[in-house]
Amino acid sequence: MTGLSLISDAPATAIEHLYRELWKAIFVFERRYSRFLPDSELSTLNRNAGMKQYISSDFRDLLVTARDMAFQTDGMYNPFVLPAVQATGYRHSRVPGRENDVIDDHANKTVASIDRLEIGDNWARIPYGTALDLGGIGKGYLAERLRDRLPDLVTGYWLSLGGDIAVGGNDTNGQPWKVMIESADNQIDERDNFIVATPCGVATSGTTVHRGTTAGRNWHHIIDPRTRKPAKTDVLLASVQHASPLMADVLASCAVILGSKHAVTYLKLHGVKAAVLQCKTNNQTHTISFGHTLTRDVVHA
């Protein structure tokens, strides 16, 4: 769910104008870069795989960011996994009313390595028979860009883009923001939250929402780029706090892919200050956390 909260002493007209600008930016971003929209810049690039495609400066920045994230995570994030995502079963939008929309089918294409993404001054090219999905960074990228365009008249903010949050300043009571942690077993407890050090981003990724059964096989949408299959992991949900909302988004999915055995070390190495990993092993659910967290029964890493 998307929601915007701004704390300011500025005149109401100024804040209303800012709200309109932020909502417009969210709408435009979705229209331009969604893989579910055939007319988006991303879909056009995918359909023209193998050919040089002229792109907008904004799209160039997004592609450069995706490439940088792939290198910074040593390939644990790879935007070329769209064919594997679709082949697994996650083809259509999960937005109510959009499930039967016409989409481009890339399920029989190849997952390429990030060094195959070519980016020029005003063009990009991906190899023939490949396709990109920017969902792994999209919400975090947008949250960070929205945060960075907030004027000084905003003293506190909460920008929520469906599982990814950029937060800064204090709440309406002048207190530090508390970020509720989604529960893997749908039993949310008000004690389960981050007391966040702002400004920062908080993102949650996991295997509990985008999942299903295709041809008798269960699947979820978090693809391990190393195997090009749904990640075999004990982490159901990973919630990550990072100074960068973009990094929080990317690293949350990396934590799921790596599993609890390796995720904590990896997250700390990449600058994560706090995280909660909800895991399931041998049908037993347990939680691992570190940093500024208040949780129920946890193992502190």
Side-chain angles (χ1 to χ4, degrees):
M1 182 178 294
T2 300
L4 308 176
S5 297
L6 304 176
I7 312 299
S8 176
D9 294 327
T13 53
I15 297 301
E16 289 171 1
H17 175 75
L18 180 56
Y19 267 118
R20 287 194 296 270
E21 290 300 309
L22 293 175
W23 282 111
K24 178 181 177 181
I26 293 170
F27 175 80
V28 170
F29 188 89
E30 171 72 12
R31 300 299 301 179
R32 293 177 69 176
Y33 308 125
S34 173
R35 73 174 174 92
F36 299 114
L37 299 176
D39 294 331
S40 71
E41 276 199 81
L42 175 62
S43 294
T44 300
L45 178 63
N46 285 337
R47 280 196 302 275
N48 291 305
M51 297 184 290
K52 183 182 292 188
Q53 178 70 35
Y54 289 99
I55 58 175
S56 66
S57 59
D58 289 341
F59 191 26
R60 183 185 187 279
D61 185 73
L62 179 55
L63 290 174
V64 169
T65 301
R67 183 177 62 186
D68 290 347
M69 289 298 99
F71 285 129
Q72 288 187 42
T73 60
D74 299 317
M76 293 305 297
Y77 162 75
N78 182 358
F80 277 109
V81 297
L82 179 54
V85 172
Q86 288 190 327
T88 294
Y90 186 24
R91 294 172 179 260
H92 294 273
S93 172
R94 294 300 180 92
V95 176
R98 307 298 297 271
E99 299 91 343
N100 297 317
D101 285 1
V102 176
I103 59 155
D104 293 328
D105 187 356
H106 304 289
N108 293 321
K109 294 184 178 181
T110 302
V111 176
S113 59
I114 193 59
D115 57 359
R116 302 294 304 281
L117 173 59
E118 300 177 65
I119 305 173
D121 290 337
N122 61 354
W123 60 270
R125 178 164 53 203
I126 61 176
Y128 178 78
T130 67
L132 294 174
D133 177 16
L134 299 175
I137 68 165
K139 290 183 291 186
Y141 175 93
L142 179 57
E144 190 156 313
R145 294 301 181 270
L146 294 179
R147 178 196 69 179
D148 292 345
R149 68 189 291 178
L150 292 176
D152 292 338
L153 59 84
V154 175
T155 59
Y157 58 87
W158 175 289
L159 311 176
S160 177
L161 303 178
D164 289 75
I165 298 169
V167 60
N170 293 319
D171 64 18
T172 54
N173 298 315
Q175 299 298 314
W177 291 101
K178 294 182 180 181
V179 180
M180 186 72 70
I181 300 300
E182 180 181 357
S183 174
D185 57 11
N186 295 318
Q187 296 179 3
I188 297 176
D189 190 305
E190 291 186 356
R191 294 171 298 170
D192 297 343
N193 52 56
F194 282 126
I195 306 293
V196 297
T198 63
C200 73
V202 178
T204 295
S205 180
T207 65
T208 61
V209 178
H210 297 304
R211 60 186 301 121
T213 302
T214 301
R217 293 183 300 175
N218 296 327
W219 58 267
H220 62 76
H221 79 300
I222 304 295
I223 300 296
D224 186 335
R226 300 167 298 183
T227 64
R228 303 175 183 179
K229 302 289 184 182
K232 293 184 177 180
T233 178
D234 63 333
V235 178
L236 299 176
L237 288 176
S239 299
V240 170
Q241 177 188 341
H242 195 282
S244 162
L246 169 64
M247 288 297 295
D249 189 8
V250 173
L251 293 173
S253 293
C254 291
V256 175
I257 294 170
L258 288 166
S260 62
K261 182 177 180 180
H262 303 290
V264 172
T265 299
Y266 183 89
L267 293 176
K268 291 181 177 179
L269 182 65
H270 285 82
V272 172
K273 301 304 182 183
V276 174
L277 307 179
Q278 298 179 62
C279 311
K280 190 171 186 178
T281 306
N282 298 325
N283 293 320
Q284 297 294 318
T285 302
H286 64 283
T287 303
I288 301 172
S289 76
F290 65 89
H292 304 287
T293 60
L294 297 176
T295 57
R296 287 173 292 177
D297 299 319
V298 304
V299 176
H300 291 284

